[in-house]
Amino acid sequence: MEQCLTALRSILGDLASNPAAAGLDRSLSCRLTDLDQVVVGRLSAGAVHDMRVVPDGPDVARADIRLTMTSDDLVALTSGELSFGPAWATGRVKLEAGLRDLLRLRKLL
């Protein structure tokens, strides 16, 4: 799980520091399907804050921006072995958000 948190901090940190993310204040979640865990946090002020791991289940609050993938795919994304576009197109990585957020994220990803 520690390796996944490091990988997620890397991905989200790059995303948050991008000028296109300026002014975003959104809740985030990344569901790791093989570990039955969800990493939740908040993207605001050019950084990701309050990241924590919670067990997957019905009690997990619905975040504004939601990623779903396996832990192996998360690590592969940060190591450069997997590109986001093809992973998303084949269903290995799922991204869910409101239309406005999706349009903004398109510039970031």
Side-chain angles (χ1 to χ4, degrees):
M1 193 65 215
E2 194 58 41
Q3 188 178 16
C4 290
L5 282 171
T6 300
L8 199 52
R9 282 186 187 104
S10 173
I11 290 173
L12 295 175
D14 291 345
L15 182 117
S17 65
N18 189 306
L24 275 178
D25 184 12
R26 301 286 187 272
S27 58
L28 302 166
S29 70
C30 180
R31 179 167 276 111
L32 300 169
T33 57
D34 58 328
L35 301 178
D36 291 327
Q37 299 287 314
V38 179
V39 180
V40 296
R42 184 146 207 97
L43 171 66
S44 67
V48 178
H49 306 279
D50 305 323
M51 282 183 56
R52 64 190 188 287
V53 179
V54 297
D56 193 6
D59 295 338
V60 177
R62 184 178 167 111
D64 298 320
I65 300 169
R66 300 169 303 281
L67 291 164
T68 303
M69 67 190 82
T70 66
S71 59
D72 290 338
D73 286 340
L74 173 60
V75 172
L77 280 171
T78 57
S79 69
E81 296 172 26
L82 182 64
S83 296
F84 184 84
W88 175 77
T90 59
R92 289 176 68 178
V93 174
K94 294 180 184 173
L95 172 64
E96 299 173 86
L99 182 58
R100 188 178 305 178
D101 288 333
L102 286 172
L103 291 173
R104 199 161 194 189
L105 288 170
R106 177 185 67 163
K107 297 176 188 175
L108 300 173
L109 300 172

